[in-house]
Amino acid sequence: MKNIFFVGFMGTGKTTISKIVAEQLNMKWADLDNLIVQREGRSIVEIFNTDGENYFRELEKKVLNEIADIGGYVVSTGGGIVILDENVEIMKKNGVMVTLVATPEIIYERLKNDDTRPLLQVEDPLDEIKRLMFERAKFYIKGNIIVDTSEDEPENLANQIIEEIKNFNGTR
């Protein structure tokens, strides 16, 4: 297995579930946002506030390319990585793209006390979650495997994803 890329809206469980998958498959794990923070020496919020979303997306694409070339990774990505078609192509060419989804209400409950999410620092975060999810749905649907994380436990979801990856034949 070259790489497994976890994509999906913030709060769907990408970090938690991808770590379990990496451990169970004895693969290396990486969080793309953390790699960007290390490289830049500042938080995602600072990058967004100082240089804007476009600058961040370019950084994200560069780091994604680097890790995709190495191989052997389970990668947790940021929620907006899929808005650039190039990123989707990189992930599909270099591994399996697993999309995690959850209901807007579940996502809101998971994130309502998290002030590190720059796109949710608005008056009505639930409404913004719904708007962004609707806007990004056409990108998330491109995943090779799509799993709803709304109701099940991370360990069960990780096992389900591993089974689906084993049965994945490279289409979709």
Side-chain angles (χ1 to χ4, degrees):
M1 176 63 50
K2 192 159 184 189
N3 294 294
I4 302 167
F5 299 97
F6 279 80
V7 302
F9 198 76
M10 61 185 108
T12 55
K14 295 182 302 288
T15 300
T16 302
I17 295 168
S18 66
K19 280 182 179 177
I20 297 168
V21 169
E23 187 177 303
Q24 289 187 8
L25 294 178
N26 200 27
M27 293 175 72
K28 295 171 279 190
W29 179 82
D31 181 287
L32 220 53
D33 283 352
N34 288 347
L35 294 174
I36 292 167
V37 166
Q38 288 171 4
R39 176 172 291 185
E40 287 287 300
R42 54 194 174 136
S43 73
I44 302 294
V45 172
E46 289 175 284
I47 296 168
F48 265 74
N49 290 342
T50 305
D51 297 305
E53 185 174 0
N54 288 340
Y55 176 81
F56 174 78
R57 297 294 170 211
E58 284 302 313
L59 268 177
E60 189 175 52
K61 180 171 58 176
K62 185 176 182 182
V63 175
L64 173 65
N65 254 314
E66 291 168 5
I67 203 160
D69 285 344
I70 297 169
Y73 274 91
V74 175
V75 182
S76 175
T77 67
I81 197 165
V82 293
I83 63 176
L84 291 179
D85 286 336
E86 293 168 79
N87 290 339
V88 172
E89 289 171 24
I90 291 165
M91 289 185 279
K92 285 188 157 188
K93 181 178 142 207
N94 292 285
V96 178
M97 190 172 127
V98 178
T99 301
L100 301 183
V101 297
T103 67
E105 294 76 18
I106 295 281
I107 290 170
Y108 175 73
E109 283 304 312
R110 291 175 181 168
L111 300 179
K112 67 183 178 186
N113 298 318
D114 185 347
D115 62 359
T116 66
R117 310 291 181 150
L119 295 177
L120 294 184
Q121 304 310 307
V122 295
E123 194 171 313
D124 186 348
L126 179 57
D127 197 48
E128 184 66 0
I129 288 167
K130 289 176 183 177
R131 186 189 72 73
L132 286 169
M133 286 179 72
F134 180 78
E135 188 178 277
R136 294 178 181 175
K138 64 185 177 213
F139 302 111
Y140 291 138
I141 200 75
K142 295 178 182 179
N144 300 115
I145 296 167
I146 301 173
V147 176
D148 187 338
T149 66
S150 298
E151 301 298 326
D152 212 343
E153 293 300 314
E155 293 78 14
N156 295 338
L157 294 163
N159 290 332
Q160 176 188 339
I161 290 164
I162 290 168
E163 282 307 307
E164 290 196 41
I165 289 169
K166 287 178 182 173
N167 296 322
F168 178 69
N169 62 11
T171 59
R172 184 159 160 37

